[in-house]
Amino acid sequence: MTALANAIVIDNIGMVFGAGLGAVRALDGVSLEIGSNEFFTLLGPSGCGKTTLLRLIAGFEQPSTGSISLYGQRLEGLMPFERPVNTVFQSYALFPHMSVAQNIAFGLEMQRKPRLEVQKIVADMLELVQLTGFEARKPAQLSGGQQQRVALARALANRPKVLLLDESLSALDAKLRKEMQLELKRLQLETGITFVFVTHDQEEALTMSDRIAVMKNGKLEQIGTPTEIYDFPRSRYVADFIGETNFLTGIAEANGLRLPDSQWLEVTHSRPPGSSVDVAVRPERAQIARDTNGLNAVVREVVYVGTDTVVYLEIAKEVFRVRMQNHGGAAKMVSVGDQIKLVIPPNAVRILEAES
Protein backbone atom coordinates (compact mmCIF):
# COMPACT_ATOMS: atom_id res chain seq x y z
CA MET A 1 0.00 0.00 0.00
CA THR A 2 1.12 3.55 -0.66
CA ALA A 3 1.41 6.06 2.15
CA LEU A 4 -1.69 7.94 0.93
CA ALA A 5 -3.78 4.76 1.10
CA ASN A 6 -2.86 4.06 4.73
CA ALA A 7 -5.11 4.94 7.64
CA ILE A 8 -2.65 3.63 10.24
CA VAL A 9 1.11 3.09 10.06
CA ILE A 10 2.66 1.18 12.96
CA ASP A 11 6.46 1.33 12.92
CA ASN A 12 8.58 -0.99 15.07
CA ILE A 13 6.27 -0.80 18.09
CA GLY A 14 7.50 -2.33 21.32
CA MET A 15 5.61 -2.51 24.60
CA VAL A 16 7.08 -3.56 27.94
CA PHE A 17 5.07 -3.73 31.15
CA GLY A 18 7.02 -3.51 34.41
CA ALA A 19 10.76 -3.32 34.88
CA GLY A 20 13.73 -5.48 35.78
CA LEU A 21 13.23 -9.20 36.25
CA GLY A 22 9.46 -8.77 36.35
CA ALA A 23 9.26 -6.98 33.00
CA VAL A 24 6.87 -8.45 30.43
CA ARG A 25 7.38 -7.74 26.73
CA ALA A 26 3.85 -7.61 25.27
CA LEU A 27 4.89 -6.37 21.82
CA ASP A 28 8.23 -6.85 20.10
CA GLY A 29 9.07 -4.84 16.98
CA VAL A 30 5.62 -4.85 15.38
CA SER A 31 5.33 -2.99 12.05
CA LEU A 32 2.27 -2.95 9.81
CA GLU A 33 0.11 -0.72 7.63
CA ILE A 34 -3.69 -0.62 7.76
CA GLY A 35 -5.41 0.75 4.69
CA SER A 36 -8.05 3.45 4.51
CA ASN A 37 -11.57 1.97 4.44
CA GLU A 38 -10.20 -1.47 5.34
CA PHE A 39 -11.63 -4.08 7.69
CA PHE A 40 -8.43 -5.22 9.39
CA THR A 41 -8.35 -7.96 12.02
CA LEU A 42 -5.74 -8.69 14.69
CA LEU A 43 -6.05 -12.42 15.34
CA GLY A 44 -4.40 -14.63 17.91
CA PRO A 45 -4.76 -16.42 21.25
CA SER A 46 -4.94 -14.72 24.64
CA GLY A 47 -1.66 -13.07 25.54
CA CYS A 48 -0.38 -12.67 21.99
CA GLY A 49 -0.43 -8.83 22.15
CA LYS A 50 -3.42 -8.04 19.94
CA THR A 51 -5.41 -6.13 22.58
CA THR A 52 -2.28 -4.28 23.71
CA LEU A 53 -1.76 -3.10 20.13
CA LEU A 54 -5.38 -1.95 19.94
CA ARG A 55 -5.03 -0.04 23.21
CA LEU A 56 -1.92 1.69 21.88
CA ILE A 57 -3.85 2.88 18.82
CA ALA A 58 -6.69 4.07 21.08
CA GLY A 59 -4.31 5.90 23.41
CA PHE A 60 -5.06 3.92 26.57
CA GLU A 61 -1.38 2.95 26.64
CA GLN A 62 1.78 4.64 25.35
CA PRO A 63 4.41 2.54 23.49
CA SER A 64 7.80 1.79 24.98
CA THR A 65 9.41 2.13 21.54
CA GLY A 66 8.34 2.88 17.98
CA SER A 67 5.62 5.10 16.54
CA ILE A 68 1.98 5.05 15.43
CA SER A 69 0.59 7.43 12.81
CA LEU A 70 -3.01 7.97 11.75
CA TYR A 71 -3.38 9.53 8.30
CA GLY A 72 0.10 10.99 8.74
CA GLN A 73 -0.45 12.36 12.27
CA ARG A 74 1.82 10.95 14.98
CA LEU A 75 -0.24 9.69 17.93
CA GLU A 76 2.35 9.24 20.67
CA GLY A 77 1.57 11.46 23.65
CA LEU A 78 -2.02 12.17 22.58
CA MET A 79 -4.77 11.28 25.03
CA PRO A 80 -7.63 9.02 23.84
CA PHE A 81 -10.06 11.95 23.49
CA GLU A 82 -7.50 13.79 21.34
CA ARG A 83 -7.42 10.99 18.74
CA PRO A 84 -9.98 10.68 15.90
CA VAL A 85 -10.77 7.08 16.89
CA ASN A 86 -13.53 5.40 18.88
CA THR A 87 -13.54 2.03 20.62
CA VAL A 88 -16.32 -0.55 21.06
CA PHE A 89 -15.57 -2.80 24.01
CA GLN A 90 -16.68 -6.34 24.76
CA SER A 91 -19.01 -5.07 27.51
CA TYR A 92 -20.53 -2.33 25.24
CA ALA A 93 -20.39 0.10 28.24
CA LEU A 94 -23.85 1.57 27.65
CA PHE A 95 -25.29 3.95 30.25
CA PRO A 96 -28.11 1.94 31.87
CA HIS A 97 -30.10 5.00 33.02
CA MET A 98 -30.15 6.54 29.52
CA SER A 99 -32.39 5.70 26.60
CA VAL A 100 -31.03 4.38 23.32
CA ALA A 101 -31.22 7.88 21.79
CA GLN A 102 -29.49 9.44 24.80
CA ASN A 103 -26.68 6.87 24.68
CA ILE A 104 -26.04 7.60 21.00
CA ALA A 105 -26.23 11.36 21.55
CA PHE A 106 -23.92 11.42 24.57
CA GLY A 107 -20.61 12.00 22.76
CA LEU A 108 -22.16 14.55 20.42
CA GLU A 109 -23.58 16.53 23.35
CA MET A 110 -20.17 16.48 25.06
CA GLN A 111 -18.87 18.19 21.91
CA ARG A 112 -21.65 20.79 22.32
CA LYS A 113 -23.13 20.18 18.89
CA PRO A 114 -26.43 21.95 18.13
CA ARG A 115 -29.55 20.09 19.33
CA LEU A 116 -31.11 19.75 15.87
CA GLU A 117 -27.84 18.40 14.46
CA VAL A 118 -27.64 15.86 17.28
CA GLN A 119 -31.21 14.72 16.63
CA LYS A 120 -30.47 14.31 12.91
CA ILE A 121 -27.30 12.28 13.57
CA VAL A 122 -29.07 10.07 16.13
CA ALA A 123 -31.86 9.36 13.65
CA ASP A 124 -29.31 8.55 10.94
CA MET A 125 -27.37 6.22 13.24
CA LEU A 126 -30.53 4.39 14.32
CA GLU A 127 -31.40 3.82 10.69
CA LEU A 128 -27.85 2.67 9.93
CA VAL A 129 -27.94 0.01 12.66
CA GLN A 130 -31.59 -0.86 11.92
CA LEU A 131 -32.96 0.24 15.32
CA THR A 132 -35.38 2.97 14.24
CA GLY A 133 -38.28 2.94 16.71
CA PHE A 134 -36.11 1.87 19.66
CA GLU A 135 -35.17 5.45 20.65
CA ALA A 136 -36.91 5.47 24.03
CA ARG A 137 -35.88 2.02 25.26
CA LYS A 138 -33.32 1.51 27.99
CA PRO A 139 -30.38 -0.93 27.50
CA ALA A 140 -31.99 -3.45 29.87
CA GLN A 141 -34.96 -3.67 27.48
CA LEU A 142 -32.74 -4.73 24.57
CA SER A 143 -31.27 -8.05 23.46
CA GLY A 144 -27.51 -8.55 23.40
CA GLY A 145 -27.39 -7.96 19.66
CA GLN A 146 -29.44 -4.78 19.96
CA GLN A 147 -27.18 -3.49 22.74
CA GLN A 148 -24.19 -4.06 20.52
CA ARG A 149 -25.85 -2.10 17.70
CA VAL A 150 -26.42 0.81 20.08
CA ALA A 151 -22.76 0.71 21.10
CA LEU A 152 -21.77 0.76 17.43
CA ALA A 153 -24.14 3.63 16.67
CA ARG A 154 -22.72 5.65 19.56
CA ALA A 155 -19.16 4.98 18.40
CA LEU A 156 -19.96 5.91 14.79
CA ALA A 157 -22.05 8.99 15.59
CA ASN A 158 -19.15 11.46 15.56
CA ARG A 159 -17.66 9.92 12.40
CA PRO A 160 -14.28 8.71 13.73
CA LYS A 161 -11.55 8.10 11.19
CA VAL A 162 -10.94 4.67 12.71
CA LEU A 163 -13.23 2.38 14.72
CA LEU A 164 -11.56 -0.08 17.10
CA LEU A 165 -13.45 -3.20 18.17
CA ASP A 166 -12.11 -5.26 21.06
CA GLU A 167 -13.64 -8.79 21.08
CA SER A 168 -16.98 -7.03 20.60
CA LEU A 169 -18.90 -10.16 19.50
CA SER A 170 -17.68 -12.55 22.18
CA ALA A 171 -20.62 -11.95 24.55
CA LEU A 172 -23.20 -13.04 21.96
CA ASP A 173 -24.58 -16.53 21.41
CA ALA A 174 -23.39 -18.49 18.37
CA LYS A 175 -26.34 -17.75 16.06
CA LEU A 176 -26.45 -14.04 16.84
CA ARG A 177 -22.69 -13.86 16.54
CA LYS A 178 -22.84 -15.07 12.94
CA GLU A 179 -25.55 -12.52 12.13
CA MET A 180 -23.52 -9.69 13.66
CA GLN A 181 -20.43 -10.69 11.69
CA LEU A 182 -22.29 -9.86 8.49
CA GLU A 183 -23.79 -6.76 10.11
CA LEU A 184 -20.38 -5.40 11.09
CA LYS A 185 -19.06 -5.87 7.57
CA ARG A 186 -22.14 -4.10 6.16
CA LEU A 187 -21.62 -1.15 8.52
CA GLN A 188 -17.96 -0.88 7.58
CA LEU A 189 -18.76 -0.83 3.86
CA GLU A 190 -21.61 1.69 4.26
CA THR A 191 -19.69 4.12 6.46
CA GLY A 192 -16.35 3.87 4.67
CA ILE A 193 -14.57 3.99 8.05
CA THR A 194 -11.50 1.89 8.76
CA PHE A 195 -12.34 -0.90 11.23
CA VAL A 196 -9.64 -2.57 13.35
CA PHE A 197 -11.08 -5.69 14.96
CA VAL A 198 -9.49 -7.85 17.67
CA THR A 199 -10.54 -11.47 18.06
CA HIS A 200 -9.28 -14.95 18.91
CA ASP A 201 -12.00 -16.51 16.72
CA GLN A 202 -10.60 -17.53 13.32
CA GLU A 203 -14.10 -17.89 11.79
CA GLU A 204 -14.90 -14.28 12.65
CA ALA A 205 -11.64 -13.15 11.11
CA LEU A 206 -12.17 -15.12 7.89
CA THR A 207 -15.80 -13.97 7.56
CA MET A 208 -15.35 -10.22 7.97
CA SER A 209 -11.80 -9.18 7.19
CA ASP A 210 -10.19 -7.63 4.16
CA ARG A 211 -6.85 -8.59 5.71
CA ILE A 212 -5.77 -10.46 8.83
CA ALA A 213 -2.66 -10.15 10.99
CA VAL A 214 -1.96 -13.38 12.90
CA MET A 215 -0.02 -12.68 16.09
CA LYS A 216 2.09 -14.85 18.39
CA ASN A 217 4.03 -13.86 21.51
CA GLY A 218 3.96 -10.15 20.71
CA LYS A 219 5.06 -10.56 17.09
CA LEU A 220 3.40 -10.78 13.69
CA GLU A 221 3.44 -14.27 12.21
CA GLN A 222 1.70 -13.49 8.91
CA ILE A 223 -0.40 -10.76 7.28
CA GLY A 224 -2.67 -11.42 4.33
CA THR A 225 -6.18 -11.75 2.97
CA PRO A 226 -8.38 -14.49 4.43
CA THR A 227 -7.66 -16.62 1.36
CA GLU A 228 -3.91 -16.12 1.69
CA ILE A 229 -3.91 -16.90 5.40
CA TYR A 230 -6.06 -20.01 5.01
CA ASP A 231 -4.72 -21.47 1.78
CA PHE A 232 -1.08 -20.38 2.04
CA PRO A 233 -0.02 -20.42 5.71
CA ARG A 234 3.68 -19.79 6.13
CA SER A 235 4.20 -21.57 9.44
CA ARG A 236 2.82 -24.49 11.40
CA TYR A 237 1.48 -22.00 13.96
CA VAL A 238 -0.61 -20.12 11.39
CA ALA A 239 -1.81 -23.28 9.68
CA ASP A 240 -2.86 -24.78 13.01
CA PHE A 241 -4.55 -21.62 14.32
CA ILE A 242 -6.63 -21.01 11.19
CA GLY A 243 -9.07 -23.87 10.68
CA GLU A 244 -8.45 -27.62 10.73
CA THR A 245 -5.11 -28.78 9.38
CA ASN A 246 -3.19 -32.00 8.90
CA PHE A 247 0.57 -32.04 9.37
CA LEU A 248 3.03 -34.47 7.87
CA THR A 249 6.81 -34.55 8.13
CA GLY A 250 9.04 -36.06 5.47
CA ILE A 251 12.56 -36.14 4.11
CA ALA A 252 13.11 -34.10 0.96
CA GLU A 253 13.72 -35.99 -2.27
CA ALA A 254 13.43 -34.90 -5.89
CA ASN A 255 9.83 -33.77 -6.56
CA GLY A 256 8.55 -35.07 -3.25
CA LEU A 257 8.96 -36.22 0.32
CA ARG A 258 9.69 -39.60 1.83
CA LEU A 259 7.35 -40.13 4.80
CA PRO A 260 8.44 -41.98 7.99
CA ASP A 261 6.69 -45.17 6.80
CA SER A 262 8.68 -44.98 3.50
CA GLN A 263 5.68 -43.88 1.42
CA TRP A 264 6.30 -41.12 -1.12
CA LEU A 265 4.31 -37.86 -1.25
CA GLU A 266 4.46 -35.84 -4.46
CA VAL A 267 5.04 -32.14 -3.79
CA THR A 268 7.02 -29.31 -5.34
CA HIS A 269 9.66 -27.85 -3.03
CA SER A 270 13.11 -26.29 -3.06
CA ARG A 271 14.54 -27.91 0.06
CA PRO A 272 17.94 -29.64 -0.09
CA PRO A 273 17.73 -33.45 -0.52
CA GLY A 274 17.81 -35.18 2.84
CA SER A 275 16.43 -32.23 4.83
CA SER A 276 13.37 -32.55 7.07
CA VAL A 277 10.26 -30.81 5.71
CA ASP A 278 6.95 -30.07 7.44
CA VAL A 279 3.82 -29.76 5.28
CA ALA A 280 0.16 -28.88 5.91
CA VAL A 281 -2.90 -30.27 4.13
CA ARG A 282 -6.45 -29.02 4.73
CA PRO A 283 -8.93 -31.88 5.44
CA GLU A 284 -11.24 -30.84 2.58
CA ARG A 285 -8.41 -30.94 0.02
CA ALA A 286 -7.63 -34.67 0.47
CA GLN A 287 -9.74 -37.53 -0.86
CA ILE A 288 -10.43 -41.14 0.03
CA ALA A 289 -10.38 -43.75 -2.74
CA ARG A 290 -10.23 -47.49 -3.21
CA ASP A 291 -8.81 -48.63 -6.54
CA THR A 292 -6.37 -45.86 -7.41
CA ASN A 293 -2.88 -44.65 -6.71
CA GLY A 294 -2.40 -42.98 -3.36
CA LEU A 295 -1.00 -43.34 0.11
CA ASN A 296 -1.91 -46.40 2.14
CA ALA A 297 -3.98 -45.49 5.20
CA VAL A 298 -6.29 -47.14 7.74
CA VAL A 299 -9.65 -45.72 8.86
CA ARG A 300 -9.62 -45.23 12.64
CA GLU A 301 -12.85 -43.23 13.17
CA VAL A 302 -15.80 -41.88 11.18
CA VAL A 303 -17.69 -38.87 12.58
CA TYR A 304 -20.93 -37.53 11.09
CA VAL A 305 -21.22 -33.76 11.65
CA GLY A 306 -24.31 -32.86 9.63
CA THR A 307 -23.16 -31.24 6.40
CA ASP A 308 -19.89 -33.20 6.44
CA THR A 309 -18.40 -36.50 7.51
CA VAL A 310 -14.92 -36.38 9.05
CA VAL A 311 -12.84 -39.51 8.56
CA TYR A 312 -9.85 -39.99 10.84
CA LEU A 313 -7.06 -41.99 9.20
CA GLU A 314 -3.75 -43.36 10.38
CA ILE A 315 -0.84 -42.75 8.02
CA ALA A 316 2.86 -42.75 8.82
CA LYS A 317 1.88 -43.13 12.50
CA GLU A 318 0.05 -39.79 12.32
CA VAL A 319 -3.67 -38.99 12.54
CA PHE A 320 -4.93 -37.50 9.27
CA ARG A 321 -8.43 -36.02 8.86
CA VAL A 322 -10.42 -36.01 5.62
CA ARG A 323 -13.60 -33.93 5.46
CA MET A 324 -16.23 -35.04 2.92
CA GLN A 325 -19.52 -33.31 2.12
CA ASN A 326 -22.54 -35.48 2.85
CA HIS A 327 -24.02 -35.97 -0.59
CA GLY A 328 -24.30 -39.28 -2.42
CA GLY A 329 -23.89 -41.30 0.77
CA ALA A 330 -20.41 -40.05 1.70
CA ALA A 331 -20.90 -41.10 5.31
CA LYS A 332 -21.31 -44.76 4.23
CA MET A 333 -18.22 -44.91 1.99
CA VAL A 334 -15.88 -46.18 4.70
CA SER A 335 -15.93 -48.00 8.01
CA VAL A 336 -13.53 -48.25 10.90
CA GLY A 337 -10.68 -50.61 10.05
CA ASP A 338 -10.91 -50.20 6.27
CA GLN A 339 -7.66 -50.13 4.29
CA ILE A 340 -8.00 -47.24 1.85
CA LYS A 341 -5.99 -44.98 -0.45
CA LEU A 342 -5.44 -41.37 0.57
CA VAL A 343 -5.18 -39.07 -2.46
CA ILE A 344 -3.48 -35.69 -1.82
CA PRO A 345 -3.15 -33.46 -4.90
CA PRO A 346 0.31 -31.83 -5.06
CA ASN A 347 -1.25 -28.33 -5.13
CA ALA A 348 -3.03 -29.08 -1.82
CA VAL A 349 0.28 -29.49 0.04
CA ARG A 350 1.72 -26.39 1.72
CA ILE A 351 5.43 -26.31 2.60
CA LEU A 352 5.85 -24.70 6.03
CA GLU A 353 8.66 -22.49 7.24
CA ALA A 354 10.66 -23.63 10.22
CA GLU A 355 9.28 -22.37 13.54
CA SER A 356 11.19 -19.48 15.08
Side-chain angles (χ1 to χ4, degrees), residues 185 225 270:
K185 186 58 181 175
T225 66
S270 58

Side-chain angles (χ1 to χ4, degrees), residues 15-72:
M15 186 66 191
V16 178
F17 293 102
L21 295 177
V24 175
R25 183 171 294 279
L27 293 171
D28 187 5
V30 173
S31 295
L32 62 88
E33 298 175 351
I34 300 174
S36 181
N37 191 22
E38 183 175 29
F39 198 119
F40 192 92
T41 296
L42 300 171
L43 175 67
S46 297
C48 71
K50 58 188 187 297
T51 296
T52 298
L53 187 56
L54 197 80
R55 290 176 61 83
L56 289 173
I57 298 171
F60 300 127
E61 307 283 354
Q62 295 293 328
S64 302
T65 58
S67 65
I68 302 175
S69 299
L70 192 150
Y71 289 103

Side-chain angles (χ1 to χ4, degrees), residues 272-307:
S275 60
S276 180
V277 180
D278 290 332
V279 301
V281 182
R282 296 294 184 186
E284 68 275 13
R285 296 297 306 279
Q287 300 171 2
I288 290 175
R290 296 285 187 181
D291 301 321
T292 187
N293 293 325
L295 299 171
N296 295 317
V298 179
V299 177
R300 292 305 185 199
E301 191 172 0
V302 180
V303 180
Y304 178 82
V305 291
T307 58

Side-chain angles (χ1 to χ4, degrees), residues 91-107:
S91 64
Y92 310 145
L94 299 177
F95 299 114
H97 63 287
M98 293 184 180
S99 68
V100 167
Q102 289 169 334
N103 266 281
I104 297 172
F106 181 78

